[in-house]
Amino acid sequence: MRVTDERLSLTAPSNRQLRADGGGRRTDGTGSDGPTCPNSLIVVSNRQPYRHEYDTAASTAGSDRPATTADAATGTDETVPESTDETDTRPITVDEPTGGLTAGLDPVLQQAAGTWIAWGDGDADFDVTDEHDCVAVPPNDPSYTLQRIALSDEAIDSYYYGFSNRVLWPLCHGFTDLVETRSNDFEWYRTVNERFAEAVREHATADSVVWLQDYHFALASQMIRDRVPQSTTVAQFWHIPWPTSTTFQHCPAGRTLLEGLLGNDLLGFHVDRYAERFLDCVHRYLPAADVDWDRRTVTSGEQTTRVVATPMGIDAESYDQDARSVSASQRSSLFDRYDIARENVIGLGVDRLDYTKGIPERLAAVERFLEWNPSSHGEFTFVQTATPSRTDIPAYERYGEFVRSEVERINQRFGTQAWNPIVYTEDYLSAAELCALYRRADLMIVSPLVDGMNLVAQEYVASSVDGDGMLLLSQGTGAHETLGSHALTIDPTDTDGVARQLERALSLSPAERHLRMNTLRKRVFDGNLEWWMTAQFDWIRRVRNETLRDDATRVADSDAEREFDSNSEADSDSDPDSDSDFDPYERTSSV
Ligand code: GDG
């Protein structure tokens, strides 16, 4: 059983200098012509771009963000700054983001000399900050301010592991049966949102753009709006799906959340259907707010929120380059480590171990495929990496146990001494290893039941530099909107259907595989991270101009009123017979 053509050499030279950890950061200065934010930029996110930790075994044991979780995509910087704590002489290391949004925003912040506000979750974080909890970053070439918010264990348990990930995450993905409401979680969520809003107030000027990331801050925008000058622009990007209005009715404090989000001038989602569902929820549950469906705006009192859909992309060039840079020996050692037969047909799944990602459904389809295709036994290997995350939450723990037991069951059913159909690991792979797998995999199954976007699908495409990989993509992902036409669409709940698409993928002619992959690559490169950020900043500019125009109109109106009033006063001063109860607004309306 072979589907792979003769593959190109894996040692094509890189023409761009990349970080050794393959994190996608450009070190050749090419990032300087990237997207620019209008005005001074303040980013607010749960995760921070740099984390300081004591360099001891104890420091990782005590962290709630172990280096093996995908939530915590980090790479360790080689710099070892000294602790500022005179009593503690242990060296401090700095973790940096290795991918996705944080890595993409970091150069933008550097260029804008802005401010980033985030939860300080490193054990040495507050030993390197000043009296305002601020530290200049990047550590080797400081150009912007990172303000860290200290959160107590109780706050983290309730705000992060509580309302954010026991209520909002399952609810927004439609898993209402997994929503867990615990007393105090929402209050802590509100308190933490307030802490962040206060921090923003300290930095914001009339000129600032505040850009919040994700569902951890549904209340913060309105709190910020109440604290900063009218002309400050407040924007937010919601990275996960927005649920239907029927699902949203199960949301505790749903109206309060909607009101919180309407503090934004701009609210971004990945795809149209999430933006439309948000407007529908506002229409149903906040009847006083005025929804303009054509312009996709909501007006509530004096505040107008523009709702947009801008699908997030990846740093496609970096994945492409990393995939080309992997040496044959690196790939061999990876395959040896996991005991993957080099010559086999390789299917791949890469996920956080999260119940939205459809991993058991995928395994069931692989099992069905193996049932139907005895000739594939010994020749087909499905590699699944699943990095544990949010393990403090029982639903995640149960899910992990189920996935592991399914892998074991299927391997016992079909495996032989020489071959296991499924290679499963919970190791957090380096970006280079990930790209090596992406490049080598003959096909990738991306089967979330629901997903805001799904970056893994895009990463696979960008890393498929030989142009012959095949993508099976769930219709429940945001990525399906742009990639669905040239991927093989799957409904993860239809086991036979996915197995059939797996068979189909393996029987496509090389010409068709190349045709499909080339189109997918064009889409991923055209809509990359830089495109997404430029689109966001263009929208921010636009709503900012609209707000300034509206403000100018309001000022002009009130100036005219004042002028009118003072004329009236002058008139009345000069007219001893004038009525002292005169109401200028009556005159205005009658004019
Ligand atoms: C949320 C939304 C939306 C995973 N294992 C390893 C590793 N990863 C990296 C992948 C990818 C990231 O984790 C996962 O991103 P996804 O987009 O697939 O999913 P979420 O984490 O749920 O992200 C999602 C996204 O936000 C952005 O808006 O697309 O819909 O749910 O980058 O590569 N990275 C490395 N080793 C691993 O073992 N290096």
Side-chain angles (χ1 to χ4, degrees):
M1 178 189 186
R2 292 290 303 161
V3 294
T4 42
D5 294 338
E6 189 84 350
R7 284 181 176 267
L8 300 175
S9 154
L10 279 173
T11 53
S14 162
N15 60 6
R16 177 181 282 154
Q17 198 186 351
L18 291 165
R19 278 169 45 97
D21 66 10
R25 253 162 222 255
R26 297 163 182 177
T27 53
D28 58 359
T30 54
S32 60
D33 57 356
T36 53
C37 174
N39 309 86
S40 75
L41 178 62
I42 301 170
V43 165
V44 178
S45 68
N46 182 59
R47 294 293 179 198
Q48 54 179 342
Y50 297 91
R51 180 176 55 172
H52 288 79
E53 294 223 86
Y54 285 112
D55 189 14
T56 61
S59 69
T60 43
S63 166
D64 91 29
R65 190 165 86 155
T68 51
T69 71
D71 255 351
T74 61
T76 303
D77 198 282
E78 287 157 13
T79 322
V80 183
E82 286 303 312
S83 169
T84 54
D85 180 350
E86 284 171 17
T87 60
D88 196 336
T89 52
R90 288 178 294 167
I92 292 174
T93 57
V94 188
D95 285 352
E96 294 184 28
T98 56
L101 178 70
T102 15
L105 267 174
D106 181 66
V108 178
L109 265 284
Q110 288 182 36
Q111 196 188 21
T115 304
W116 194 318
I117 301 171
W119 164 29
D121 64 334
D123 62 3
D125 272 349
F126 293 95
D127 294 334
V128 298
T129 48
D130 64 14
E131 68 275 25
H132 304 292
D133 298 333
C134 292
V135 58
V137 289
N140 293 334
D141 183 18
S143 57
Y144 71 91
T145 302
L146 170 61
Q147 175 167 7
R148 287 172 169 149
I149 305 293
L151 297 177
S152 65
D153 288 349
E154 192 184 359
I156 294 157
D157 182 54
S158 297
Y159 141 80
Y160 181 72
Y161 291 108
F163 197 75
S164 297
N165 285 315
R166 278 180 157 98
V167 175
L168 288 180
W169 177 272
L171 185 107
C172 287
H173 287 86
F175 288 76
T176 44
D177 53 326
L178 294 183
V179 170
E180 234 187 297
T181 41
R182 304 182 306 176
S183 58
N184 297 335
D185 282 0
F186 183 67
E187 277 320 304
W188 270 113
Y189 184 83
R190 189 201 299 275
T191 304
V192 171
N193 272 241
E194 222 151 41
R195 293 270 306 280
F196 277 83
E198 262 306 294
V200 168
R201 187 188 57 76
E202 285 160 22
H203 296 277
T205 64
D207 219 24
S208 301
V209 169
V210 183
W211 194 22
L212 299 111
Q213 303 300 323
D214 234 345
Y215 60 100
H216 313 95
F217 302 110
L219 301 177
S221 305
Q222 188 57 56
M223 293 168 172
I224 292 168
R225 172 57 58 227
D226 293 342
R227 286 167 167 79
V228 298
Q230 182 63 30
S231 59
T232 304
T233 305
V234 184
Q236 185 158 8
F237 196 85
W238 193 266
H239 289 262
I240 63 175
W242 189 271
T244 62
S245 56
T246 318
T247 299
F248 190 73
Q249 70 185 335
H250 300 290
C251 184
R255 281 197 181 84
T256 313
L257 295 178
L258 291 173
E259 282 163 359
L261 287 167
L262 293 182
N264 286 299
D265 298 299
L266 180 74
L267 177 59
F269 293 95
H270 286 299
V271 292
D272 286 334
R273 66 177 180 277
Y274 303 145
E276 275 156 18
R277 287 179 189 169
F278 175 79
L279 293 175
D280 188 38
C281 285
V282 171
H283 173 66
R284 281 177 193 227
Y285 303 124
L286 294 180
D290 185 18
V291 176
D292 181 332
W293 294 92
D294 293 334
R295 295 185 67 229
R296 287 202 178 153
T297 57
V298 180
T299 305
S300 178
E302 298 227 315
Q303 173 68 33
T304 296
T305 305
R306 165 86 68 157
V307 180
V308 297
T310 41
M312 184 176 165
I314 59 160
D315 185 352
E317 291 79 3
S318 286
Y319 282 92
D320 177 291
Q321 291 301 325
D322 279 3
R324 290 181 200 278
S325 309
V326 176
S327 68
S329 69
Q330 279 174 310
R331 199 184 71 184
S332 294
S333 75
L334 182 70
F335 274 52
D336 288 347
R337 190 180 342 138
Y338 294 109
D339 201 17
I340 308 168
R342 279 180 196 71
E343 66 285 357
N344 271 15
V345 172
I346 306 290
L348 179 64
V350 172
D351 305 84
R352 271 189 313 103
L353 195 41
D354 191 297
Y355 52 77
T356 61
K357 301 293 182 184
I359 303 172
E361 287 78 1
R362 186 181 316 167
L363 296 175
V366 169
E367 182 178 18
R368 189 63 43 88
F369 168 80
L370 293 167
E371 267 168 29
W372 289 348
N373 296 279
S375 66
S376 70
H377 297 191
E379 302 199 356
F380 173 82
T381 303
F382 191 76
V383 180
Q384 175 68 53
T385 79
T387 38
S389 76
R390 305 171 196 167
T391 44
D392 293 16
I393 299 175
Y396 283 81
E397 213 188 327
R398 286 197 301 272
Y399 187 75
E401 279 164 15
F402 182 56
V403 167
R404 286 186 282 275
S405 70
E406 281 296 273
V407 170
E408 211 178 300
R409 186 183 62 71
I410 297 168
N411 278 344
Q412 267 170 11
R413 181 173 171 196
F414 297 104
T416 62
Q417 268 201 329
W419 166 77
N420 267 329
I422 299 170
V423 170
Y424 178 79
T425 177
E426 295 187 358
D427 291 351
Y428 187 79
L429 304 181
S430 72
E433 290 170 331
L434 202 58
C435 286
L437 270 181
Y438 282 148
R439 180 173 181 181
R440 173 59 185 80
D442 298 291
L443 63 95
M444 172 109 202
I445 308 184
V446 176
S447 58
L449 299 159
V450 188
D451 212 337
M453 168 51 59
N454 192 282
L455 301 181
V456 167
Q458 300 187 42
E459 291 165 8
Y460 175 64
V461 168
S463 306
S464 292
V465 291
D466 307 309
D468 57 358
M470 285 158 292
L471 176 64
L472 277 68
L473 183 59
S474 162
Q475 60 196 17
T477 62
H480 191 264
E481 301 268 306
T482 33
L483 304 182
S485 63
H486 285 73
L488 298 180
T489 296
I490 52 173
D491 167 2
T493 61
D494 173 10
T495 306
D496 284 0
V498 180
R500 268 196 301 275
Q501 287 291 57
L502 223 169
E503 288 183 331
R504 183 171 165 218
L506 296 175
S507 64
L508 290 179
S509 69
E512 180 162 1
R513 294 205 303 266
H514 280 277
L515 187 74
R516 285 173 180 270
M517 185 48 80
N518 287 342
T519 308
L520 293 175
R521 285 176 66 76
K522 181 160 172 29
R523 299 221 176 125
V524 167
F525 279 78
D526 285 352
N528 65 6
L529 185 64
E530 186 169 333
W531 174 88
W532 177 75
M533 276 197 284
T534 304
Q536 287 293 303
F537 292 147
D538 282 351
W539 271 113
I540 285 172
R541 253 181 222 103
R542 190 164 157 184
V543 295
R544 189 177 175 80
N545 290 341
E546 281 169 3
T547 311
L548 292 178
R549 249 199 328 269
D550 290 349
D551 285 351
T553 312
R554 266 197 288 275
V555 169
D557 285 351
S558 71
D559 280 354
E561 269 165 20
R562 261 197 302 280
E563 195 181 330
F564 185 82
D565 292 351
S566 64
N567 287 345
S568 306
E569 275 164 29
D571 287 353
S572 76
D573 283 351
S574 63
D575 180 4
D577 295 321
S578 68
D579 184 354
S580 60
D581 289 335
F582 170 68
D583 179 354
Y585 293 99
E586 266 182 35
R587 285 255 316 256
T588 310
S589 55
S590 66
V591 166

